[in-house]
Amino acid sequence: MIGAILGDIVGSVYEFSNIKTKDFPLFSQSSSYTDDSIMTIAVADWLLHGGDLAKVMQCYGKKYPCPMGGYGGSFARWLNEDYPKPYNSWGNGSAMRVSPVGWFFNSLEETLAVAQETAIITHNHPEGIKGAQATAAAIFLSRNEKSKEYIREFIETTFDYDLHRTCDEIRPAYRFNESCQGTVPEAIIAFLESNSFEDAIRLAISLGGDSDTLACIAGGIAESFYRYQIPYNLIKKVETILEPDLWKAVQEFRNDRQYKVFWRNI
């Protein structure tokens, strides 16, 4: 999941100031984590320790109430409800927080089932569920060493996403889009077109739009595909930017057997 957090941090300064090129600094003094990272870590915490996912997410939201960019309006209200209910969202929030699920299970079936579980507490619209499942599936398939063409075909066949576009074709007309159906396919395309982890992040952000979430989704998938090629200095950068408690939770997940077995060199 650290790839998702990296993507979020790099994309944070471009969410409301889009840049339509791959040529940009990865970090600046303004780079920070957003709600994408906080909720990703909340899901990881829940996978490790169990409990009520809604309460875990609310706990993280209340502990970190003012991330860069804030929380979406409906989700912010949900975070503060005594009895939170799903609100039929098709937004990309379900996909941006799901990356730990792609690492945690030994079967694709369980991965898809739990991805749905993490989505439906808020994003119970079919598109919200589909976005989370497609993202988790791409991570699961990548860490099990499936080829990009295999991943492309599986995602297209299973979720009916059009992944036969290029970033150059998408970029000129692409605008801010917070829906799963307008974000997840584009993020997956950025991963499929990339030649390295960093390139996946740069491609996703270069599309414009919801930059931190595009890069969060693409980064989560790219991590599992390029896991032995992610520069260590990028991982250390996450440590310096996250709050100590958030980094501690990341480390706990990284040290879990299911995750660590795929990161033997870290």
Side-chain angles (χ1 to χ4, degrees):
M1 70 172 180
I2 204 163
I5 297 170
L6 259 168
D8 175 46
I9 291 171
V10 174
S12 63
V13 297
Y14 301 109
E15 179 180 9
F16 301 112
S17 183
N18 286 171
I19 185 165
K20 295 276 188 172
T21 175
K22 294 200 302 179
D23 184 15
F24 57 83
L26 287 180
F27 303 103
S28 72
Q29 290 185 340
S30 300
S31 298
S32 187
Y33 61 88
T34 78
D35 58 324
D36 297 26
S37 291
I38 294 170
M39 290 302 131
T40 295
I41 295 169
V43 169
D45 188 325
W46 171 73
L47 288 171
L48 289 176
H49 302 293
D52 184 328
L53 177 57
K55 292 188 182 302
V56 173
M57 289 170 58
Q58 285 186 318
C59 180
Y60 272 83
K62 290 171 182 175
K63 188 172 184 179
Y64 301 99
C66 300
M68 186 172 182
Y71 294 101
S74 295
F75 187 72
R77 289 189 292 274
W78 181 90
L79 283 174
N80 290 288
E81 290 176 357
D82 291 332
Y83 303 100
K85 302 293 183 185
Y87 46 93
N88 201 38
S89 176
W90 35 252
N92 54 30
S94 61
M96 60 82 166
R97 67 187 183 224
V98 79
S99 63
V101 176
W103 286 96
F104 204 73
F105 298 100
N106 290 322
S107 73
L108 180 59
E109 292 74 20
E110 193 169 11
T111 298
L112 293 174
V114 178
Q116 176 172 322
E117 187 177 353
T118 66
I120 60 174
I121 58 171
T122 51
H123 294 59
N124 56 330
H125 187 283
E127 291 292 346
I129 295 168
K130 185 165 75 169
Q133 289 184 316
T135 302
I139 293 169
F140 177 88
L141 294 172
S142 291
R143 74 174 173 87
N144 282 282
E145 301 183 344
K146 299 298 184 182
S147 69
K148 287 184 177 180
E149 280 310 308
Y150 183 97
I151 295 167
R152 186 197 309 272
E153 182 177 353
F154 178 85
I155 298 297
E156 285 195 321
T157 301
T158 306
F159 301 105
D160 198 30
Y161 284 156
D162 177 10
L163 303 183
H164 276 82
R165 297 169 289 156
T166 68
C167 287
D168 284 345
E169 290 169 342
I170 295 167
R171 190 178 295 110
Y174 190 69
R175 298 294 182 266
F176 193 92
N177 190 323
E178 60 187 7
S179 70
C180 270
Q181 57 270 37
T183 305
V184 176
E186 288 75 12
I188 295 174
I189 288 168
F191 153 69
L192 291 171
E193 193 172 312
S194 67
N195 56 40
S196 68
F197 173 80
E198 182 177 324
D199 193 47
I201 298 295
R202 290 186 178 278
L203 278 167
I205 291 171
S206 78
L207 296 177
D210 194 355
S211 298
D212 63 319
T213 299
L214 280 162
C216 178
I217 296 168
I221 302 168
E223 174 195 3
S224 61
F225 193 86
Y226 299 114
R227 57 188 173 272
Y228 302 123
Q229 303 172 34
I230 300 178
Y232 185 66
N233 67 299
L234 295 185
I235 296 173
K236 291 298 290 183
K237 191 69 174 179
V238 173
E239 180 181 4
T240 66
I241 290 175
L242 288 182
E243 303 294 338
D245 284 353
L246 291 174
W247 177 247
K248 181 179 178 181
V250 170
Q251 286 291 77
E252 184 179 11
F253 191 81
R254 289 179 69 205
N255 288 329
D256 180 73
R257 181 187 63 81
Q258 288 295 95
Y259 189 81
K260 194 173 183 180
V261 70
F262 293 99
W263 271 96
R264 289 184 294 270
N265 66 328
I266 296 298

